[in-house]
Amino acid sequence: MPAGFKSIAIAGAQSAIGKAAVLALAATPGVSVLVLTRAVTARPAFLPDNVAHSGIDYADVNATTAILQEHQVQVVIAPLNSFAIMQQIPLADAAKAAGVQLFVPSEFGTVSKGIPDVETPPYLRVKMQIADHLQAIGLPYLRVFPGSFQEFIYPLVGYGVNKKVNILRSLKGDTPFSVTTCDDIGGFVAHVVTHHPLASLANKCFRIEGDRTTLNGLGAILDAPIEKVNDVPVPEGPLTSSFVGELQTLVDKGWLNTETRFVDGDGSGGANALWEGHHWTTLREFLKL
Ligand SMILES: NC(=O)c1ccc[n+]([C@@H]2O[C@H](COP(=O)([O-])OP(=O)(O)OC[C@H]3O[C@@H](n4cnc5c(N)ncnc54)[C@H](OP(=O)(O)O)[C@@H]3O)[C@@H](O)[C@H]2O)c1
């Protein structure tokens, strides 16, 4: 039997990462899975019959603690929406009170450990606050940094808007960065928590990588012209040009790759090897090019 955990709860199960993790865990023999949604959310239709479901009020720490205890949950995985990051504070408090041994917070992007403080954008600060809270309450974390979702590659360069690779004029565009599918990210999390012991996971940062490219390299992959722009065009919707520009800037600084080293334990060097024998989806495979 593998050395990992046997009882896992997932909050944010309806994110692409959460769904991939739930399906992988549900198919792992000897592992029980509990999906936590907000109380207003119905049991997600995709859940296999062997997955338990409970609706929670995130603010009600005692009630969530009781549910986690009832299911003897050992690990909480929380790929919550970026607007719901702070909901992880009461969730982590409940997990700690219930005796949970490991919490996998909603990171899943840019490296957030050891990065220079003055350059840290607000969307990363809140993720760092969660990591700090987990440390403060003595609940070990496992932080996973996959670079950009492959699903996010078109918006990252505004390709969907004008069929060009739009790169901020101020950037060189030659720094490698990691691009990983949500299926690989969720599958990786499910694999490591069920196959590796706590000592290998506790307070670790794992950088993973399905593939590697550069902003300029996307021109060749997408067979599209590079356009140097002042503002990256974004499609209609909630995504803002300033956020995408900020992300491109971090890509160019090397904050989304497996190599750039900030501090000890920041995950530089990569952790793909922990998913033994796995074929990681390349960007060309994902885009079917
Ligand atoms: N690296 C990248 O390129 C990249 C791209 C996008 C996102 N991300 C990161 O990946 C993580 C997941 O983001 P996502 O966009 O994939 O998530 P998403 O699909 O928008 O997340 C959906 C989940 O979030 C939960 N949720 C939404 N609002 C909530 C609230 N107010 N309180 C509690 N739960 C709430 C939903 O819960 P219910 O199940 O209860 O409905 C649902 O399960 C985030 O950390 C985000 O920053 C990274």
Side-chain angles (χ1 to χ4, degrees):
M1 280 294 273
F5 292 102
K6 304 280 181 275
S7 181
I8 324 279
I10 304 195
Q14 300 195 86
S15 63
I17 294 172
K19 186 172 179 184
V22 167
L23 295 177
L25 290 166
T28 306
V31 170
S32 61
V33 188
L34 167 67
V35 159
L36 300 172
T37 63
R38 288 168 288 176
V40 290
T41 306
R43 178 184 167 95
F46 78 89
L47 295 188
D49 289 345
N50 65 340
V51 171
H53 165 248
S54 195
I56 60 166
D57 171 0
Y58 278 80
D60 191 342
V61 173
N62 290 340
T64 306
T65 302
I67 291 165
L68 294 171
Q69 276 171 337
E70 186 193 326
H71 290 266
Q72 300 179 334
V73 170
Q74 300 165 309
V75 180
V76 171
I77 303 171
L80 294 183
N81 184 292
S82 52
F83 302 106
I85 296 296
M86 296 313 279
Q87 302 280 28
Q88 293 174 103
I89 299 272
L91 181 61
D93 290 344
K96 177 67 182 173
V100 166
Q101 297 171 56
L102 185 71
F103 193 99
V104 184
S106 198
E107 289 275 357
F108 305 121
T110 308
V111 175
S112 70
K113 168 130 181 176
I115 52 180
D117 191 49
V118 288
E119 300 171 51
T120 303
Y123 83 91
L124 276 184
R125 278 189 197 282
V126 286
K127 294 186 173 183
M128 293 163 78
Q129 256 178 280
I130 301 301
D132 288 346
H133 183 74
L134 290 165
Q135 281 208 300
I137 64 174
L139 176 54
Y141 62 62
L142 168 61
R143 293 156 76 181
V144 176
F145 307 126
S148 172
F149 292 179
Q150 292 187 12
E151 291 82 349
F152 193 70
I153 279 300
Y154 286 175
L156 181 63
V157 290
Y159 176 80
V161 177
N162 59 10
K163 297 288 178 269
K164 293 177 180 172
V165 171
N166 302 277
I167 303 175
L168 284 186
R169 204 176 298 288
S170 55
L171 306 179
K172 281 196 170 149
D174 287 332
T175 309
F177 69 107
S178 304
V179 289
T180 310
T181 65
C182 289
D183 278 354
D184 274 348
I185 301 165
F188 174 83
V189 173
H191 179 84
V192 294
V193 299
T194 52
H195 288 74
H196 293 276
L198 179 61
S200 307
L201 308 176
N203 295 320
K204 292 283 166 54
C205 291
F206 289 159
R207 296 194 206 176
I208 55 173
E209 176 172 274
D211 203 348
R212 177 180 307 199
T213 184
T214 62
L215 291 172
N216 289 330
L218 289 173
I221 291 174
L222 300 177
D223 192 19
I226 304 278
E227 181 95 346
K228 290 291 191 169
V229 294
N230 293 328
D231 298 296
V232 183
V234 288
E236 288 273 314
L239 197 60
T240 63
S241 183
S242 63
F243 176 74
V244 177
E246 200 164 54
L247 260 182
Q248 284 198 358
T249 306
L250 298 184
V251 163
D252 226 45
K253 282 185 188 174
W255 290 23
L256 281 89
N257 67 30
T258 56
E259 278 95 39
T260 307
R261 190 181 175 287
F262 301 100
V263 291
D264 283 349
D266 65 5
S268 46
N272 279 22
L274 293 177
W275 197 358
E276 311 82 358
H278 176 64
H279 170 74
W280 295 82
T281 304
T282 66
L283 188 54
R284 284 183 191 278
E285 285 169 348
F286 174 73
L287 296 173
K288 300 193 174 18
L289 297 174

